[in-house]
Amino acid sequence: MVHRKTMLPYLLLLLLANAGWVTTADLENYSLVKSIFILAGQSNISGRGGVINHSLRPGLVNESWDGVIPHECESNPSILRLSGGLKWVEAHEPLHKDIDVNNTCGIGPGMPFANTVLKKDPSIGVIGLVPCAVGGTSITEWAPGGFLYKNMIKRTKAATRGGGKIRALLWFQGESDTKTLEDAKMYKVRLERFFKHVRHDLELPNLTVIQVGIATALGPYMELVREAQREISIGNLKYVDAKGLQIGPDYTHLTTAAQIQLGQMLADAFLCPN
């Protein structure tokens, strides 16, 4: 016997398909996705692994991605991503290419995370990644009601239309909040408010949040922000520290090897019982 509540999202998609608003392939992909993960924050979760700045002049940027995809980051039919057009497609690097559109994207932690989770727990089913990160953004730019926040909530709700379950928010942000003493001191309050609003607006009061401690900074107050990250006091929050992972020649972004390691650390944190 099929539960009426379970059928409602699928019936809605059938109606949309009949109206021509989604394709049959979209319908199949929405019904396939079982476990949904949100990726949000700034450039180090968007992914800059393998991104090279070819400019020889300080302050100028002429970047390209080297296109190297290690096996830990390879595509898998059981890993989908929600595109910028709100359609499920097979995930491949760079995950954020049509989300973080004003930056050159490369390898991030999303694919190694998903591949590791599937390898260690195949019962989790088809994984749906919802990339939302944008490079260079501060926590105030992620404030509830702002564009980035509303876009993340819209994308996440769209991802659940086929009945998939939101399993966790993967959050890596804070480098931009090291620039001023005021922002660093306010970081804890602003981040806690952000997490609480996400849970409220997604109607998931116990949503798992996996936060990454920053390893680099754009200003002098990195340790203040790191301290604030460690002191966040909400339930079902897990902390993974990026400090010590390999940093690229720009002294800001994690290398491809570091992103693979971070993805595996995030997977272990997700799979580890509280």
Side-chain angles (χ1 to χ4, degrees), residues 47-108:
R48 299 294 185 267
V51 173
I52 303 165
N53 184 8
H54 301 280
S55 175
L56 299 177
R57 296 177 61 185
L60 291 182
V61 176
N62 178 23
E63 292 179 331
S64 67
W65 175 48
D66 63 14
V68 176
I69 302 177
H71 72 88
E72 296 93 341
C73 306
E74 289 177 350
S75 298
N76 183 319
S78 294
I79 305 173
L80 304 181
R81 67 180 286 273
L82 193 70
S83 72
L86 302 182
K87 293 184 178 182
W88 285 119
V89 296
E90 186 169 324
H92 59 80
E93 299 286 9
L95 275 182
H96 279 78
K97 65 177 182 178
D98 60 350
I99 303 298
D100 193 3
V101 294
N102 292 320
N103 295 292
T104 303
C105 296
I107 300 293

